[in-house]
Amino acid sequence: MSPLLLLVGLSVFDSGTVRGQGAGLGPSLGREPMGSGYPSPEYYFALDVYRSGDLERALDAFDIAVARTRKDINGHWIDAIPVFAMMGECQYRLGDLEGAMQSLDMSLKIAIRYRGWLGRPVWSEVLMSQAKLSPKQYLWPEANAVNRLPVTRTIKFYSGEQLTEELLIQGGQIEELNIKPVDAIEILRGLAIASYRRRIILGPLAEGDALATQLLDSTKYPAGLQLPIARNLIGAMRAAERFGAMQDERAVSDASANATYNGGVHPISPITGLCAASALAGSDKPAAAIPLCLAVANQAASMDYFEWVGEALQLAAGCASAKDAAVIQQAGQVAATNLLRKSRLAALHCLIASADAAVTAGDLASASARLGEAKALAMRRDVMQPRLDAYGAYVAARLATRTAPPGGNPNATGPWDDALSQIFHFATNSRIRKRSLISMPRLYQLQRVRLALGRNLDGQSADVLLAGYANDPGIDVWRRDPVDAIAGVVADRDLLRLARLRTAASRESGQDVLARIEDLQAGRIRSQLPMGGRVMQVRALARMPGKLLEQKIVEFRNAADKSIRDLRTAAKAELDAQPAAGADPAMVQAGIDRLEAAAWAIALDRTELPVVMPHPLDDKQPASVLPDDAGILAFCQDGSLIHAVLCTKQKSTYWTIKGASRVAGEIAALSRGIGAAPSRGARLPEDDGWRDEALKLRDRLLSMGTGALLTGRLAGIKRLIVIPDALLWYVPFELLPTDERDSPLLGDSIDVVYAATPALAIYPTADKTTHPAIAVTAGKFFAPREAESNAMLVQTILDSIHAGAAVRLPGDAMIPTSQSGNVAGHLVVAEPTTPNPSSVLDSPLAGYEASIRQGRLRSWLGFPPGTPGSVFLAGFRSNLDTSQGVSGHEIMHAIAALQYSGVRDVILSRWAVGGESTAILLREYVQELPFLGAAAALSRAKNVLRRSEISPLGEPTLSGSDQERETLTGDEPFFWSTYLHASPLN
């Protein structure tokens, strides 16, 4: 064997640098696909299946097409780029975003691996100068009017290199020079598609993405390439790549320069234009995207890229106002009619987009008709489009808020429930072959951010990233994909908010920790509300008086869309015309239903809503608005650690409490010591041994070491608002000694009140009531086994109310407690209130309302806009008092829901007492309530109770041995420390 032949033989197996894009020495040594060009015919067949609307068949077809792509020692060659890109499109529409990202990443990696290939095609063959393109019978005039450039499907591609002795001596993988027919434009288009879809999936995480950046670097214009059409095609692809790398301004300018060539459009024009339109949709001038989207729809249809017609029209509908929407509605209807026989995918998408725009335009009849046609098409056996089904459900929900009359389940949210359930199912419960999927981009991004928390991120950049995802999605997400926005609104972001809290704690900044506790606790409450609290924000925007809002919120409301201003006017009119006790309940409910439907319509629309409820804190100095003598003591449990912060106007102090399990044990010991927790034998203690447990718990929680409370940790504070968390909700902080064991109690030394979150501690959610009436609902709470005695005690409470100011529910007014603000300024529920263990907001506050409409705690958050100024749940049974697992969330959610609805003062019991002791307290409370206000009336009532003699036989919660006592007073903590008062400072 000659040395030269031996060298050639050895070089084939050398693992050095690859030369060319072939598969070894000549085509015969590589694995070539069947067919006459690259990509293979199987790819174009798969495209046709994809456009037919059957995603499962399309996915199988693209699997076959991938197997037919060319491979070399590096893996798939450049002809696999569009195949992987379109496979990613299939997976995206199916709801498999992890699979989609793997496919799309593969497209980019192939392009990066084979950098330099753009200099290999014979670009001069792209234009067929003598060709004339004839109109297509199935297109509408605007699409047929598109000036399509006569480009060829395949051009020559020089692969490999001319073999020389010098090249052979260098070694490495060698491919001899050969010519291949390549659809180079389709490969460019595949990269543009992959870049676009990756950006849609990654959202803000696309900024600085390594693959997107490397792709831009690997697809630079080849040196010496001056052919205008070639530079235009590559420039159009690079515009999409810049969008994929979140370089939006450059993407728009590059698209403007390269989307057309000499007035004609080429195959990359539609996807490039869609990238530019999506970038504009995220700007402050989204209307500029509408004509671009309509142009993209016509261009895509003219080139048979049917999958982009509906996507462009959906984006246009997302950017449209009422005056722009009619054009999009008509365009979608025309496109759907003409493309039905060519692409069921396009027809379905266009019908839904047309209905979406019709709702915005106010043409509800057309919207209903288009949705009906879309539903019939989607139900065909050969159509499978779960993502489009979810988009259709969104449009159906919008339409239902404007057309469907309320009915059905008396406690249901509304007729839009079924459509929302379909959205939530696709967003949070998508499955393929029993495999759970991440179907929505926002949820995929949240998952990546959660995984990034374990890495060593820079503190400041990590906090910026977390802040963006801890909040609701921005308006750009709503415009691009409202289903994605809804998924982001209802997503669990607790871990991200907790990470922000830990970041603030690491700086030991008390003010920052307080702000992060607000984010965390308020987020937990909003997660229990419809649409993640978005509907509540609309209601608050409509009902809140201007003086309780930030100035910028007032300005927003004054300049808001007509729908918001109309709801504000209607809510105010409903409030001013509060129905009398004898009003027709059906008419009252009809008015509430109209307001609710309008609120839901705004919440579902693509409207950027400010945070109104609760009042936002100053992010840097949240405690700066406190009075000089007030302080906020806030806790937040983080696993086995408890974060604690004490903030006054002058300073803030942060510390940690280790061993949350030991704290839980000490809370349990104190509860047993005062009789709050059930135990064998006597419930009430024989002595004041509970003070030892209170002292131990105080030292644990407040990290004592600075002397007595009032001269040390709480020096200068006369009013302390406590924000507990978890099991700390069961702690009566009033019982903590201020110094030694027998020193005065904290509640006897300063005013102690509570709040669910820091914002609710500082800012009121409604004006003080001027209505003197007190609504009372009472059950067998005082003497359960003696109906006559119970009725007598109830009557003594009613008699204590100022003459003519008592309203008995449901006797005087057959209304749920949520509407008690219509007839009274205050509400007293003198019967057991047991929270629903699975959902606190679905709990009735009074027994009589369990079977009537609007008779749930969540109903308080809806309309009518008027609520009582105070609510006293005298028999609230927290989980400390039931067989449910203790967590404290039932207390926090009950307080927050009532205050979010506009109740200023919430008083409830941590454990229900009942009997004569509760009757004494309520008599004194209601007697002074209209004159002194809730805080002073409760304080006076407690003092009276503590000085009162109590008959053990008149207390139904006491055990047999307790009832054998000869003397008993209300000064036992069991009787008076149960009552928790939540109220804002101002």
Side-chain angles (χ1 to χ4, degrees), residues 769-781:
T769 183
T770 57
H771 202 317
I774 302 174
V776 178
T777 174
K780 293 181 179 179
F781 183 47

Side-chain angles (χ1 to χ4, degrees), residues 861-878:
L861 292 159
F863 292 104
T867 54
S870 72
V871 172
F872 194 154
L873 303 179
F876 189 85
R877 300 186 67 204
S878 72

